[in-house]
Amino acid sequence: MSRECCGPDAPIDGPSRPTVDLITGSQLGISSTPADDHHGIDDDHDHSDSAELASWWRDRSVLVPLAAGVLLLVGYICIWTGFEIAGTLLHAVSLLAGASTFVPMAVRRLLQRRLGVGLLMTIAATGAVLLGHVGEAAALAFLFSIAEALEDRAMDKARHGLRALLSLIPETAVVSRLTGDAIIPAADIRELDLLVVRPGDRVATDGVITSGRSSIDASAITGESIPVEVGPGNAVAAGSINGGGSLLIEATASGRDNSLTTIVRLVEQAQARKGTRARLADRIAKPLVPIVLVVAALIVLFGFLVGDPATWTERALVVLVAASPCALAIAVPVTVISAIGAASRFGVVITSGEAFEQLGAVRNIAFDKTGTLTQNRPEVVQVEAVDPARANDVVDFAAALEAHSTHPLAAALLRERPEPPRASDVTEHPGQGIAGTLGSITVRVGSPRWVPAEPLAAATAAMESEGMTVIVVEADGEPLGVIGIRDELKPEARETVDTLRRQRMEITMLTGDNERTANALAERVGIVDVRAAQLPADKARAVEGLRTLGTTAMIGDGINDAPALAAADVGIAMGATGSAAAVESADVAFTGTDLRLIPQALAHARRGRRIMTANIVLALAIIVVLFPLALFGVLGLAGVVLVHELAEVVVIGNGIRAARGRAILPPA
């Protein structure tokens, strides 16, 4: 029975189903089905979440309606050839077969004092039989049951496509032990286990390479089609395919709870959360059932008052079918599930139906700079010294102090000087810089606002105008030199901004950099609206301001982006395995970091939104058109049933179109 049409047998806020491995059926720690489905879904068919999606010719929920259809056709042939009794008997058997798919559920729900479209169809079929129209009743049961079976197949196929992501995780993994290599189930991997990944193997869980060099193909997870060269220290995601070299990888997540299982969990949970259009369909469909029952009862009463009860009772039954909101109830869910599942397959995790709808309405985009537009790998670009002969001392002194810091700029200096001199008495001054001593020399390293650099003011200004972050090195109270560090833009940043402009998006860049550095980088990427020197709270306020101009998305990847992500209509986190705070604050998470996925995801969501709108309009139009035709006897029961159920099939087919989205990322 259609789950959207008939609703749940249990309260939607009841306990969730047991957590099972969607592939093997073993306990894995992710829910195979959300605790509350789109419309309080109840599965009257046995579509096991953990099983492979059965072929239609082996699916009982499809075979029973098909059998009803065959019996219906043979019955009509018998009647047309003069064997009326045999034809009527065949129609009765066809009716029983078709009705068996929805009548038991309708009765159970009625006993629980809940109404559904199945009840309307049950009343209509029963009334048709009492009026002697067994063939029409059988036709109603067949068409309704086959449409519902097709709907269930569509919903299951969309969910199955998502769960197929988990097949990217191998069933077993090779783990290095003190006693030698051992093959264990992938689900048994624990953090810090050392995985031996041979050429061509899939990585069983997230980890960091400890030895070996190879290329990693993560296209199935991130949507980024170009294999990436990796070596010691590089992170790899579960489900990635190893290239030509053997790797030793230290697991950073267990086999049951890694980035890939997180993707599936987030998207399955999304199916439980409704968007605006889903709620609109609910608001219309739910009260429509009792309204239709009341209207049908009034029509019957009118028939008794005017003296023609048989005619008006028949019309009341036709009205029951004409005004049933089944197509309306499924107009959104099949589209949302299809679209969210498709997005997850090209590296875009959308955490709710509402987020999907909002994503399709975005008109303003706010970008964080560091790690989003840039590569988040600062490099030393330029060094200027008061005494050119002491240029090496400038870098040595800075690296000596920064070796004691976790600031991102420290990594750039240590890449430049992997073995700096030893410093002592090091003290960090948050937001300003760091101080310490090298031998007898007192050294300070920090921003020009904290460490003055008057002799190098021109050099500092020039560096900042080229998008560099400048740090000043001071020795014994005198400026020694300045270092220009720049986090280079991602190669696809300009292309992405240009594409978003063609999509008529308004773009803003939010950054903690000073205004000169921020404007220099924004000019290179093509962004005009720049908000510099932004603290996390400032970014959140800026996003709130943009929301007054239209639906706004915030894109970031760090902990300091979390307030702005939460403040936006749609928070988008770059890298679902990145900052946990950013991902948890976001509505959409990209498993990869390629910015070109952003315009593709927006286009995908806009297309899905259009499909949802078209489905709702079509479902409402069918009711509006069929109701008067049924009321005034223009269409009989068979005609209304045929039109109504064909419309439902069209809605289902249209919703499935949303699953066609995919990312095609050319080389940057």
Side-chain angles (χ1 to χ4, degrees):
M1 182 57 232
S2 169
R3 294 165 290 187
E4 270 62 43
C5 289
C6 291
D9 277 341
I12 61 174
D13 58 352
S16 61
R17 300 183 188 179
T19 56
V20 296
D21 182 332
L22 300 178
I23 296 173
T24 66
S26 62
Q27 296 299 314
L28 180 66
I30 75 171
S31 177
S32 62
T33 303
D36 72 357
D37 283 335
H38 283 292
H39 295 273
I41 290 173
D42 177 49
D43 198 351
D44 193 43
H45 298 174
D46 185 18
H47 294 303
S48 173
D49 286 335
S50 61
E52 291 292 327
L53 185 64
S55 301
W56 67 267
W57 59 85
R58 293 185 297 171
D59 188 343
R60 180 182 175 276
S61 65
V62 176
L63 291 178
V64 171
L66 285 179
V70 171
L71 291 168
L72 177 68
L73 178 60
V74 174
Y76 275 123
I77 292 174
C78 288
I79 292 173
W80 295 333
T81 56
F83 299 97
E84 293 190 8
I85 296 177
T88 301
L89 289 174
L90 286 171
H91 282 170
V93 177
S94 171
L95 172 60
L96 291 174
S100 69
T101 66
F102 62 89
V103 171
M105 172 103 37
V107 172
R108 287 201 302 269
R109 284 175 52 79
L110 183 61
L111 293 175
Q112 296 170 357
R113 299 182 180 179
R114 290 183 292 127
L115 306 178
V117 177
L119 178 62
L120 301 184
M121 297 303 172
T122 301
I123 294 173
T126 303
V129 171
L130 294 176
L131 292 173
H133 301 303
V134 178
E136 284 83 352
L140 181 153
F142 160 64
L143 290 171
F144 184 62
S145 62
I146 194 66
E148 302 308 281
L150 291 175
E151 177 197 336
D152 279 348
R153 290 286 297 180
M155 302 288 272
D156 289 341
K157 184 176 180 181
R159 291 191 180 97
H160 184 76
L162 168 64
R163 297 178 190 121
L165 282 174
L166 287 183
S167 66
L168 298 177
I169 298 178
E171 292 184 4
T172 61
V174 180
V175 178
S176 178
R177 306 286 195 202
L178 292 176
T179 56
D181 293 347
I183 299 176
I184 65 171
D188 292 344
I189 295 172
R190 298 290 178 263
E191 286 188 53
L192 304 182
D193 278 349
L194 287 177
L195 310 181
V196 179
V197 183
R198 296 162 298 196
D201 285 352
R202 285 193 182 272
V203 180
T205 192
D206 304 328
V208 175
I209 297 171
T210 58
S211 68
R213 291 191 174 276
S214 184
S215 61
I216 287 290
D217 177 3
S219 57
I221 300 101
T222 67
E224 296 167 3
S225 58
I226 307 301
V228 178
E229 297 298 321
V230 293
N234 291 130
V236 291
S240 302
I241 301 174
N242 183 24
S246 293
L247 298 173
L248 193 63
I249 299 176
E250 182 180 285
T252 57
S254 72
R256 299 173 184 270
D257 189 13
N258 53 53
S259 58
L260 197 53
T261 58
T262 297
I263 292 170
V264 176
R265 182 186 300 113
L266 287 172
V267 180
E268 293 239 348
Q269 287 171 355
Q271 297 174 5
R273 294 157 62 184
K274 303 173 187 176
T276 304
R277 281 164 175 70
R279 289 192 295 267
L280 172 63
D282 281 351
R283 286 199 297 269
I284 297 172
K286 288 182 178 179
L288 193 57
V289 172
I291 289 173
V292 169
L293 288 172
V294 170
V295 170
L298 292 175
I299 293 172
V300 173
L301 178 61
F302 177 78
F304 278 96
L305 293 176
V306 301
D308 190 6
T311 298
W312 287 100
T313 298
E314 184 172 344
R315 290 187 183 181
L317 297 176
V318 179
V319 166
L320 280 179
V321 178
S324 65
C326 198
L328 182 63
I330 67 169
V332 173
V334 70
T335 307
V336 169
I337 293 175
S338 297
I340 288 179
S344 70
R345 291 192 291 276
F346 63 78
V348 180
V349 180
I350 303 172
T351 61
S352 70
E354 183 175 8
F356 177 74
E357 292 184 36
Q358 291 279 50
L359 189 64
V362 166
R363 286 294 172 264
N364 301 308
I365 298 179
F367 279 99
D368 171 55
K369 179 184 75 69
T370 303
T372 304
L373 290 171
T374 65
Q375 299 181 32
N376 201 21
R377 185 181 170 86
E379 301 286 351
V380 173
V381 177
Q382 187 175 344
V383 179
E384 295 287 343
V386 174
D387 179 0
R390 300 193 65 187
N392 284 335
D393 288 345
V394 174
V395 180
D396 283 341
F397 286 13
L401 267 62
E402 295 290 1
H404 298 265
S405 173
T406 58
H407 193 280
L409 297 184
L413 288 163
L414 292 174
R415 279 193 290 271
E416 191 73 13
R417 287 288 190 278
E419 298 181 3
R422 187 179 298 275
S424 58
D425 300 326
V426 177
T427 304
E428 192 157 4
H429 300 264
Q432 297 176 313
I434 193 167
T437 59
L438 273 75
S440 60
I441 303 173
T442 301
V443 179
R444 286 200 306 164
V445 178
S447 72
R449 296 185 297 274
W450 188 53
V451 184
E454 292 302 327
L456 296 169
T460 299
M463 289 179 182
E464 289 180 342
S465 67
E466 293 179 13
M468 300 181 206
T469 298
V470 178
I471 61 173
V472 182
V473 181
E474 178 189 85
D476 288 334
E478 296 294 330
L480 186 64
V482 292
I483 301 173
I485 299 175
R486 185 163 58 205
D487 186 5
E488 297 292 354
L489 289 169
K490 291 179 179 176
E492 73 276 8
R494 180 72 194 224
E495 176 189 344
T496 298
V497 170
D498 290 343
T499 303
L500 290 172
R501 282 240 165 73
R502 289 194 294 271
Q503 294 180 347
R504 299 182 180 179
M505 297 290 168
E506 297 296 327
I507 304 171
T508 302
M509 186 175 85
L510 306 176
T511 177
D513 283 345
N514 65 67
E515 191 169 342
R516 184 180 293 167
T517 299
N519 285 329
L521 280 169
E523 184 177 354
R524 291 172 59 199
V525 80
I527 297 176
V528 177
D529 185 4
V530 182
R531 316 286 175 90
Q534 299 280 296
L535 297 173
D538 298 326
K539 291 182 180 181
R541 281 192 291 270
V543 168
E544 290 283 4
L546 291 172
R547 289 182 64 192
T548 63
L549 306 176
T551 305
T552 299
M554 170 67 194
I555 305 175
D557 79 327
I559 293 174
N560 63 339
D561 300 323
L565 291 171
D569 294 298
V570 183
I572 301 176
M574 294 297 295
T577 58
S579 164
V583 173
E584 289 172 6
S585 301
D587 304 294
V588 179
F590 286 19
T591 58
T593 58
D594 194 311
L595 294 172
R596 290 169 294 178
L597 280 174
I598 295 170
Q600 292 183 12
L602 291 169
H604 178 67
R606 281 197 299 274
R607 180 170 176 268
R609 188 179 170 94
R610 288 195 298 270
I611 290 172
M612 285 189 286
T613 301
N615 273 350
I616 291 175
V617 170
L618 175 60
L620 287 173
I622 291 297
I623 294 174
V624 170
V625 171
L626 287 184
F627 186 88
L629 295 178
L631 181 62
F632 296 109
V634 177
L635 283 178
L637 182 61
V640 168
V641 169
L642 181 62
V643 173
H644 201 279
E645 300 309 326
L646 284 177
E648 186 175 344
V649 173
V650 171
V651 166
I652 294 168
N654 195 37
I656 292 174
R657 289 173 51 230
R660 295 177 185 171
R662 63 190 181 96
I664 304 174
L665 294 181

